[in-house]
Amino acid sequence: MTKGKFIKNMETGKIELHFDKADYQALSADQKRQIKSAYLWSRYAGAWVSRSTKNHYRAMQVIKALGLEDGGKTGERLSYEEELQRKSEKAEARAERMEAHADNAAKRAENLQAGFNNCRQDWSWVTQPNINSSSGRAFTNKRNKIIARYEKGFDEYRKSEYFQNRAKTARETASQAQLENPVYLHNRIQEGKAIVEKLKENIETIENKIHKIQNGEILKNWKDEIIKIENLEAALTENLENMEYEIDKLAFLENKFEETGGDTFSKENIKKGYIVEINGGPCEVLSAGPVNVKYKILEGGAKGFVLSGPYPIITKIIEAKETKKPETENLYNKGDILCAHRPADKSI
């Protein structure tokens, strides 16, 4: 067993590997390579921190291969809202760093190109031919250096643009604008409900296996290895913790969804034939299902296109005119006797 331990950090959702310096140096090159494949060194934590935050399969495989001691857990799991807030704060700080990098790159570019911009005011400086004399060669060398600095300045401008784009992306993350988009929230809620149902199935399956082992039954995994009850209990704890997190996340998203008014429209108040506003334009409702609405675009470049989507894509009802099925004329009366004839011999 390798000296060292692993700790589950509940606050970050990461797994940390802790070694004494001498114990880490004693590891083989292959063991260090395994660690680096699934972990990153964190000077802040003073430990190797897993690259993964949710699915720790690869990280746990490394722990199993090294035979590390279980050091338990540290910290408290953040609520989904607290997790988003922390993510927003980090994105805001990242945006500020990227903007500072962009400003510095722009200043470097300006300094690099200043010499050429001054010299080219005299066009003869640019067009003067190379003269093969000591003074001529000195002038040519100086001009080439100034032009080289000028060209290098474009690289710095490109860096500045790159950092500006990085800052813009970080600002968008920090703003949490997606939490005001009812369609985004609807889709995340549907995903969350599916995850909760899957976790319920996992918990039920694990509990059944634990019950069987407690009653003396021997269970084996797909590798034909005997399943230990302590491993099942650890898996049960993990699934229960994940269930708690997903339910908290689902409740937060549903509250945000209600705040946006995303639950305003449904099958109950949207009918076939209604003219509704979707993406700022009028659309005709072709069918209204339990979850999605099918519609035809009536204006713009996409006029005539038939699409479908969840009800939150509807922003308002323009015209509530329901299309009803035409009534079929009944040609028969109660008590009429009807006959069917075979085509071959006209028999009844």
Side-chain angles (χ1 to χ4, degrees):
M1 179 181 284
T2 303
K3 290 184 179 180
K5 62 182 179 181
F6 70 95
I7 294 174
K8 176 73 178 292
N9 190 320
M10 300 300 292
E11 187 174 329
T12 63
K14 304 264 189 176
I15 295 176
E16 300 175 359
L17 305 186
H18 292 262
F19 300 93
D20 289 336
K21 186 175 181 180
D23 293 334
Y24 179 76
Q25 290 177 340
L27 296 176
S28 67
D30 183 60
Q31 288 174 321
K32 290 178 181 178
R33 188 161 48 249
Q34 287 184 57
I35 291 172
K36 291 175 183 178
S37 69
Y39 294 83
L40 294 169
W41 173 253
S42 169
R43 199 172 357 176
Y44 175 78
W48 289 93
V49 178
S50 63
R51 297 173 185 266
S52 55
T53 54
K54 301 296 182 189
N55 184 358
H56 294 304
Y57 177 79
R58 174 58 187 152
M60 293 305 296
Q61 288 294 103
V62 173
I63 289 170
K64 187 176 180 180
L66 295 174
L68 297 178
E69 176 189 349
D70 187 349
K73 299 174 182 177
T74 184
E76 293 184 9
R77 175 173 251 167
L78 301 175
S79 69
Y80 184 67
E81 186 174 4
E82 290 171 334
E83 189 179 292
L84 282 181
Q85 183 60 35
R86 178 165 293 189
K87 184 178 179 181
S88 177
E89 291 170 356
K90 288 183 177 179
E92 184 67 32
R94 186 165 63 252
E96 291 176 359
R97 289 198 303 273
M98 293 302 107
E99 287 171 350
H101 291 331
D103 289 342
N104 291 336
K107 288 175 183 176
R108 288 195 298 271
E110 188 178 345
N111 291 334
L112 285 167
Q113 294 189 341
F116 181 83
N117 289 333
N118 289 332
C119 292
R120 71 176 179 180
Q121 293 176 12
D122 179 5
W123 192 243
S124 63
W125 181 88
V126 179
T127 59
Q128 181 173 322
N130 297 329
I131 301 172
N132 190 18
S133 65
S134 61
S135 59
R137 287 191 297 271
F139 172 80
T140 299
N141 290 336
K142 183 179 180 181
R143 181 172 60 185
N144 289 343
K145 287 179 181 179
I146 291 174
I147 292 174
R149 283 174 59 83
Y150 179 76
E151 292 172 347
K152 190 176 179 181
F154 286 114
D155 292 334
E156 293 296 332
Y157 275 125
R158 280 189 285 270
K159 286 182 186 178
S160 178
E161 184 178 359
Y162 165 76
F163 287 127
Q164 286 171 355
N165 290 334
R166 288 280 305 275
K168 182 181 177 183
T169 302
R171 292 278 182 209
E172 290 171 355
T173 301
S175 70
Q176 299 185 14
Q178 72 274 17
L179 297 180
E180 298 175 5
N181 183 338
V183 177
Y184 170 87
L185 292 168
H186 172 272
N187 292 339
R188 299 295 79 76
I189 288 169
Q190 298 308 310
E191 290 172 3
K193 287 179 178 178
I195 292 171
V196 168
E197 288 303 313
K198 182 62 178 175
L199 287 169
K200 285 180 180 177
E201 293 177 11
N202 292 347
I203 290 168
E204 185 178 349
T205 301
I206 295 169
E207 286 177 335
N208 288 337
K209 288 181 179 179
I210 290 174
H211 181 69
K212 288 178 180 179
I213 293 174
Q214 287 173 338
N215 289 334
E217 193 172 339
I218 297 175
L219 303 180
K220 293 185 177 181
N221 60 20
W222 63 278
K223 292 182 179 179
D224 203 35
E225 300 169 338
I226 294 176
I227 299 175
K228 297 179 181 179
I229 195 168
E230 54 265 30
N231 292 341
L232 288 173
E233 289 172 344
L236 180 61
T237 299
E238 184 177 354
N239 276 270
L240 287 170
E241 289 175 351
N242 289 339
M243 171 76 85
E244 182 183 1
Y245 171 82
E246 291 298 334
I247 289 175
D248 171 64
K249 177 180 177 180
L250 193 55
F252 173 81
L253 292 173
E254 286 175 336
N255 287 337
K256 287 292 182 182
F257 184 65
E258 289 179 9
E259 288 175 10
T260 64
D263 58 347
T264 302
F265 302 111
S266 66
K267 185 181 179 182
E268 303 303 319
N269 54 15
I270 297 295
K271 306 296 180 182
K272 180 181 177 181
Y274 277 28
I275 306 300
V276 297
E277 183 180 82
I278 297 175
N279 294 328
C283 299
E284 179 186 356
V285 175
L286 301 180
S287 65
V291 178
N292 291 332
V293 60
K294 188 176 181 181
Y295 59 93
K296 180 170 69 174
I297 300 173
L298 300 179
E299 293 181 0
K303 182 180 179 180
F305 277 65
V306 175
L307 303 171
S308 64
Y311 283 98
I313 62 175
I314 300 174
T315 50
K316 69 178 180 180
I317 297 173
I318 298 174
E319 183 181 357
K321 185 178 180 181
E322 186 176 356
T323 301
K324 295 183 179 180
K325 293 182 179 179
E327 293 185 6
T328 304
E329 183 182 0
N330 186 2
L331 303 176
Y332 307 104
N333 298 312
K334 185 177 180 180
D336 286 356
I337 297 173
L338 308 179
C339 299
H341 296 266
R342 293 189 181 92
D345 56 5
K346 303 296 182 182
S347 62
I348 297 175

